[in-house]
Amino acid sequence: MTRTVAILAFDDMEVLDYAGPYEVFNLAGEITGDFQVVSVGVTERPRGRGGFAVLPAYSLDQAPGPDLLIVPGGAGTRPLTRDDRVLDFVRDSSVELLLSVCTGALVIGAAGLLDGLEATTHHDAFEELAAISPSTTIVRDRRFVHSSDRIRTSGGISAGIDLSLAVVAELAGEDVRQRVEAEMEWGWHPDR
């Protein structure tokens, strides 16, 4: 079975929050056929940090129901916490897994999906997440958190790659995760 992995694209998203998970799931899909990655645009031509442009495959209104939904972070998440279209899209997604990278947790929290759960986010946004979702227990010392059976949150920027690799191992096996890591040269050390 091929799982559709949708990544939300919006203005002022953090580039690696979007591109890191995209690369992990795309490579895993090339290796196994188990994943297909698509982008879902909040706007027609979202531009991330530094002018990074994304041409979304779908708009919020046209997106088919994905199996996994990833909400990246970045400065652009703050307006999304007040955007009913986005919050409804996230809230109404009947996905197998909902993942947040960095301050993407603010969007998930604003949608009410982190109430009573543990979650993490970028270290500079712990207090923002606590204000948006007061009943959430903020985890400050882990790169990613298994918030519930369906929700995973990760810390800042590169932590989204680690979370994505863990989800690949969970859904496709440890061997696939290792093959993706090898292709990406993730965790490379000059002494090896």
Side-chain angles (χ1 to χ4, degrees), residues 52-156:
F52 175 78
V54 172
L55 182 58
Y58 300 100
S59 68
L60 284 177
D61 301 329
Q62 300 168 329
D67 299 292
L68 281 73
L69 175 60
I70 301 173
V71 181
T77 58
R78 280 54 171 205
L80 297 185
T81 65
R82 299 178 302 278
D83 185 326
D84 288 335
R85 280 181 55 235
V86 171
L87 296 177
D88 287 345
F89 179 79
V90 170
R91 192 180 297 118
D92 295 342
S93 290
S94 58
V95 295
E96 180 180 358
L97 290 176
L98 174 61
L99 314 176
S100 71
V101 180
C102 192
T103 57
L106 301 177
V107 177
I108 294 174
L113 299 176
L114 294 178
D115 292 350
L117 302 176
E118 290 186 340
T120 196
T121 187
H122 189 278
H123 62 270
D124 286 339
F126 289 148
E127 301 313 316
E128 280 181 273
L129 181 55
I132 285 173
S133 187
S135 68
T136 300
T137 300
I138 310 301
V139 178
R140 299 167 188 262
D141 60 352
R142 290 198 309 244
R143 283 186 67 75
F144 56 89
V145 174
H146 196 119
S147 299
S148 73
D149 289 343
R150 192 173 88 89
I151 298 173
R152 313 284 192 275
T153 57
S154 67

Side-chain angles (χ1 to χ4, degrees), residues 167-187:
V167 169
V168 165
E170 180 182 337
L171 299 178
E174 182 63 24
D175 176 63
V176 177
R177 182 195 62 80
Q178 289 175 6
R179 290 172 66 190
V180 170
E181 277 189 18
E183 177 66 23
M184 291 175 60
E185 295 188 359
W186 187 246

